[in-house]
Amino acid sequence: MRDVGALGLAVFAVSISFGAIAVAAGIPAGLIVLMSLVVFAGGSQFLAVGLIAAGNPFAAIFAGLLLNARHLPFGLAIGDVMGTRRWQRLIGAHLLIDESVAFALAQPDLERRRRAYWATGCTLFVVWNVGAVLGVLLGNAGDPDRLGLDAAFPAGLFALLLPTLKDPTTRLVALTGALVAVLTTPFLPAGLPVLLALTGLLALLARPRKAASS
């Protein structure tokens, strides 16, 4: 809960930034609030705002679907965490984001995974939507990037990621994926470099296999 609370503060700051940026881009306040409630995917929402502001709403939909394609394997990995009842799976699927999956998979047993998943998903859903509304209200107060709000979210995620980098295999995959994303960012539309970072998994193929013991 301590880690969830710390991440919630970062998400709250970023959601304020999202609401303010969306208003500055000329998107109606009602649509911003509805997007946060229905979509609930920070990266896709920022991407959609940029493309809608550029006059290409259809590209915003396609890019959002492409960016969130990673949620399919996420769902397969944690299907047992959401529960067995239909309403649990419907609500749980809506709360499926990178952070809720990461917190759940870090737990040692099913019961703790369930508690971590629901605590993370519900907390971030509330703070994201409250922050988005506040950002809409403050949208005309100036450029939120001057406060560094756009850096709060990745900084929080990086802090949570650091302990896992002690494992050499995880470190190799993470650094390879990060390098791919950084190198392709200047040349590809927003969102695609994140997906291409999954190619970091290919680094596992380059690792020499340990010889089997006789």
Side-chain angles (χ1 to χ4, degrees):
M1 291 307 300
R2 178 196 61 199
D3 292 340
V4 171
L7 184 60
L9 291 176
V11 170
F12 183 63
V14 176
S15 63
I16 294 175
S17 178
F18 166 74
I21 290 172
V23 167
I27 299 178
L31 182 59
I32 298 171
V33 175
L34 181 64
M35 185 189 301
S36 290
L37 288 170
V38 176
V39 178
F40 184 46
S44 295
Q45 290 181 227
F46 275 105
L47 178 60
V49 166
L51 292 175
I52 291 174
N56 199 339
F58 295 105
I61 296 174
F62 176 77
L65 291 173
L66 183 63
L67 182 59
N68 283 340
R70 67 190 187 282
H71 288 175
L72 177 59
F74 286 174
L76 295 174
I78 61 165
D80 58 341
V81 171
M82 299 180 188
T84 57
R85 297 180 180 180
R86 179 172 297 182
W87 68 267
Q88 291 175 325
R89 289 185 171 272
L90 286 174
I91 297 176
H94 192 55
L95 299 177
L96 194 154
I97 54 177
D98 298 357
E99 297 77 19
S100 58
V101 172
F103 271 71
L105 293 180
Q107 304 307 313
D109 57 73
L110 179 59
E111 184 58 34
R112 288 176 64 89
R113 284 198 294 270
R114 284 178 175 170
R115 291 203 300 265
Y117 182 85
W118 287 98
T120 305
C122 291
T123 299
L124 298 191
F125 181 80
V126 171
V127 299
W128 177 264
N129 284 280
V130 171
V133 172
L134 183 59
V136 169
L137 297 177
L138 300 176
N140 294 323
D143 183 7
D145 286 349
R146 291 186 298 106
L147 302 177
L149 295 178
D150 55 326
F153 192 49
L157 287 179
F158 185 67
L160 294 173
L161 176 67
L162 280 177
T164 67
L165 296 180
K166 295 178 180 179
D167 176 63
T169 301
T170 302
R171 186 165 59 245
L172 174 65
V173 171
L175 293 178
T176 303
L179 180 63
V180 171
V182 169
L183 292 177
T184 57
T185 292
F187 311 104
L188 296 177
L192 288 182
V194 176
L195 292 177
L196 286 179
L198 292 173
T199 58
L201 293 170
L202 297 177
L204 296 177
L205 301 178
R207 287 178 60 87
R209 296 183 179 181
K210 295 181 179 179
S213 57
S214 57

